Amino acid sequence: MEFLNNFVLPQSAEHLELLHYMLLIVLFLFIPFISMVFGGIFLSVFYKRKAKKNHDTNYLRLAKDIIDITTISKSVGVILGIVPVLTCVLIYSQLLHNSEVTNLNYLVFALVLISISLFLIYSYRYSLTFNKIFSSFEKSTSSSHDLVDDVTKLRDESNRVSKRAGIYGLIFLFFGIWFFITGITIPSLINSWESESFIGGLFCWTVVSRFIYYILFAVAISGGMVIFSFLQDEKNKKNIDEKYSGFIKKEITKVIFISVFMIPFFALVNLFGLPESSLTSTVFVYAISSLVLLFIGYHFLYLLTKEMQGTTAALLFFILILSVAANIVGEQKAMETSTKVHSAVISASFEKYLAELKGEGKTVEINAAEMYQVKCSSCHKWDEKLVGPAHKDVIPKYAGKEAQLVAFIRNPSKIDAAFPQMPNPGLKPNEAQAIAKYLLETYNQKIK
Ligand code: HEC
């Protein structure tokens, strides 16, 4: 991502810290939302297939309800699904400015994959709605034959869309999240920065276990959301199909159970997969809090199997979100630790940059020989006259008079009638100083 490196400036230490906080906020918005969408499309496609296999319309209805609940709306999809990834790319390009880390490539891939997947998933969602409308239309026999034919055609079309869009959306999102997780994990693995190839990064085991952790979490959280919104509907007497809601509760609690019980294992693998250098006590505290919250979540899940209540489901949902939030903070703290050295490099180059802007000589090392090449060598040579006189003819008179030489270089005056006037090279005081010194040193060496 050369071009990102080019338009990013080095930042002060305070600014870098601010960026870490911004990153946290962005992840807090993005991870729960994209998890819900992923869990939603996964469960929806799964139940849709099951509906076809078992010829059970309950499953079909469940598939549609799940995707309706978990994807919220298209504009939310853009705001919470695409904008945060873009922001992540920008934040990371600042945080890891000029480093060897390749995580931006993964994030850009993630951006593309997730955008495509969201497009497909929303098409899937609408096609399921159309399917429902068409099939209810077909059932009403009062319509004329032509119309029924048209509707059947449309229904088939929409069926095809939902079949493909669903499965492709799921696949694209799967890889999108995988790339995203790789992109945010790699900076914490400072040791493997240079050694991993692009594909190697994806399969590095810390990345894989983190990815599985988030996928399990995604399924659990979307299950929680679905149960919660069903119980809510039930309370408002919107959905009083007893048989169907009993069916949902059974199916979804099963799914939450399976996923939630595997989470701690991967959470621990994630923790111990971090390099020792980034395992600070803060990281530990957050990881443990995340687990404790998860255990409280078990408690609510257990209550839910005893008695289905809206508040319990809501609590379960929020506890799960808190648990993953604590986990995100822990991971980010680990990343902060492992990039500490790099942050110091960036803020040092920021100081240097600032000093350069102010033209302060002390803190800036100027490579005089190099600058001479760029600014002077087109007109001057040591022992040959070009546009200007040969240095060997003019420098001796400045021996021991560095200040005069500096003054001339900064502001050339007309000297020798045989030459045109030297144009002002536009150097800062410290630069003129360095070049003058360099010329006099060269002169001293030549006469030795
Ligand atoms: C565009 C051509 C050009 C460039 C670029 C240029 N010079 Fe010159 N320089 C001249 C000319 C022409 C003269 C003769 C001026 C005169 O005698 O009035 C001169 C004269 C000098 C002299 C002799 C002054 C004297 O007292 O006789 C020095 C020393 C010198 N230049 C240093 C530099 C340095 C250092 C740079 C780079 C920062 C530089 N020049 C860049 C054209 C150039």
Side-chain angles (χ1 to χ4, degrees):
M1 292 294 122
E2 264 313 299
F3 99 96
L4 277 177
N5 251 341
N6 290 341
F7 87 82
V8 168
L9 288 177
Q11 300 294 330
S12 68
E14 293 78 22
H15 197 137
L16 289 176
E17 181 151 357
L18 190 69
L19 284 176
H20 280 289
Y21 284 113
M22 275 170 66
L23 191 57
L24 261 185
I25 295 173
V26 169
L27 293 177
F28 280 166
L29 291 175
F30 175 69
I31 292 189
F33 173 73
I34 207 72
S35 300
M36 226 152 63
V37 175
F38 181 82
I41 186 75
F42 173 74
L43 293 175
S44 180
V45 168
F46 174 76
Y47 285 125
K48 193 160 169 285
R49 300 210 140 194
K50 209 160 172 179
K52 209 171 159 198
K53 225 162 83 189
N54 302 0
H55 300 289
D56 186 338
T57 48
N58 271 341
Y59 283 119
L60 196 61
R61 194 168 155 192
L62 182 57
K64 180 184 171 303
D65 286 341
I66 288 178
I67 201 72
D68 280 350
I69 293 168
T70 52
T71 52
I72 312 176
S73 78
K74 213 162 30 182
S75 45
V76 172
V78 173
I79 295 170
L80 292 183
I82 298 177
V83 176
V85 188
L86 191 63
T87 319
C88 272
V89 172
L90 296 178
I91 294 180
Y92 272 108
S93 64
Q94 290 259 329
L95 281 180
L96 303 172
H97 177 51
N98 271 342
S99 77
E100 299 287 300
V101 190
T102 50
N103 77 324
L104 285 185
N105 300 346
Y106 296 107
L107 291 177
V108 171
F109 263 100
L111 181 64
V112 175
L113 290 170
I114 290 173
S115 308
I116 298 174
S117 75
L118 286 177
F119 172 77
L120 290 168
I121 289 168
Y122 283 99
S123 313
Y124 170 76
R125 173 184 165 157
Y126 294 120
S127 72
L128 281 192
T129 310
F130 285 133
N131 283 356
K132 193 176 161 193
I133 296 173
F134 292 146
S135 45
S136 60
F137 188 85
E138 263 178 315
K139 278 180 203 138
S140 59
T141 43
S142 56
S143 345
S144 76
H145 260 298
D146 280 357
L147 209 52
V148 169
D149 275 357
D150 282 350
V151 169
T152 314
K153 228 185 270 164
L154 278 175
R155 188 205 58 195
D156 290 347
E157 184 64 28
S158 152
N159 251 332
R160 252 197 308 278
V161 170
S162 64
K163 207 158 145 195
R164 292 216 192 108
I167 192 79
Y168 286 125
L170 176 62
I171 293 171
F172 273 98
L173 192 57
F174 179 86
F175 284 103
I177 295 179
W178 191 353
F179 276 88
F180 184 80
I181 298 292
T182 315
I184 64 168
T185 303
I186 286 202
S188 347
L189 308 174
I190 205 155
N191 305 330
S192 43
W193 273 3
E194 280 120 76
S195 57
E196 293 293 356
S197 64
F198 186 76
I199 301 291
L202 285 173
F203 286 97
C204 144
W205 64 279
T206 325
V207 169
V208 173
S209 89
R210 247 193 216 189
F211 176 56
I212 299 175
Y213 169 88
Y214 280 110
I215 291 295
L216 289 172
F217 166 75
V219 175
I221 187 188
S222 49
M225 174 88 176
V226 169
I227 286 232
F228 169 67
S229 78
F230 266 102
L231 291 174
Q232 206 63 19
D233 279 357
E234 223 170 37
K235 209 163 105 196
N236 303 338
K237 303 272 178 289
K238 269 202 234 155
N239 209 352
I240 3 181
D241 186 339
E242 291 272 327
K243 208 176 120 224
Y244 178 56
S245 72
F247 163 81
I248 286 178
K249 288 169 194 161
K250 204 180 98 235
E251 280 293 327
I252 299 292
T253 23
K254 199 165 74 190
V255 168
I256 304 179
F257 250 110
I258 298 173
S259 48
V260 149
F261 275 95
M262 290 196 289
I263 291 177
F265 173 73
F266 290 98
L268 288 176
V269 173
N270 291 347
L271 189 59
F272 293 106
L274 287 172
E276 246 171 76
S277 53
S278 42
L279 260 183
T280 58
S281 54
T282 328
V283 174
F284 234 83
V285 169
Y286 279 110
I288 299 299
S289 324
S290 165
L291 281 179
V292 170
L293 286 166
L294 193 65
F295 289 130
I296 301 177
Y298 288 170
H299 174 70
F300 289 122
L301 188 55
Y302 173 73
L303 285 184
L304 212 51
T305 55
K306 295 249 140 188
E307 192 184 358
M308 279 283 167
Q309 263 190 347
T311 28
T312 322
L315 283 170
L316 172 66
F317 179 72
F318 285 115
I319 287 285
L320 284 178
I321 298 249
L322 280 182
S323 165
V324 87
N327 186 67
I328 294 173
V329 178
E331 285 176 1
Q332 289 303 308
K333 290 284 163 199
M335 197 273 273
E336 227 175 302
T337 319
S338 68
T339 54
K340 225 182 204 148
V341 178
H342 189 75
S343 296
V345 172
I346 299 182
S347 54
S349 67
F350 167 75
E351 308 271 298
K352 195 169 146 193
Y353 177 75
L354 205 66
E356 265 173 40
L357 277 185
K358 289 187 192 153
E360 290 164 356
K362 301 277 165 351
T363 44
V364 192
E365 261 184 57
I366 294 171
N367 188 336
E370 210 169 77
M371 197 178 324
Y372 176 84
Q373 276 304 319
V374 177
K375 298 267 184 183
C376 324
S377 66
S378 51
C379 300
H380 291 288
K381 261 189 145 171
W382 192 263
D383 36 30
E384 217 176 287
K385 132 180 153 189
L386 294 176
V387 180
H391 284 321
K392 74 169 189 321
D393 300 335
V394 289
I395 293 300
K397 68 180 179 200
Y398 287 111
K401 295 184 199 158
E402 191 180 303
Q404 269 99 316
L405 183 54
V406 174
F408 173 79
I409 295 172
R410 286 208 65 202
N411 200 1
S413 48
K414 183 87 198 86
I415 306 220
D416 189 339
F419 293 98
Q421 189 178 348
M422 167 167 147
N424 191 327
L427 298 177
K428 288 175 203 125
N430 53 334
E431 296 172 326
Q433 181 108 35
I435 292 195
K437 212 177 189 152
Y438 163 76
L439 284 175
L440 291 171
E441 263 165 23
T442 319
Y443 168 66
N444 286 338
Q445 273 165 15
K446 301 248 179 200
I447 57 171
K448 250 182 217 163

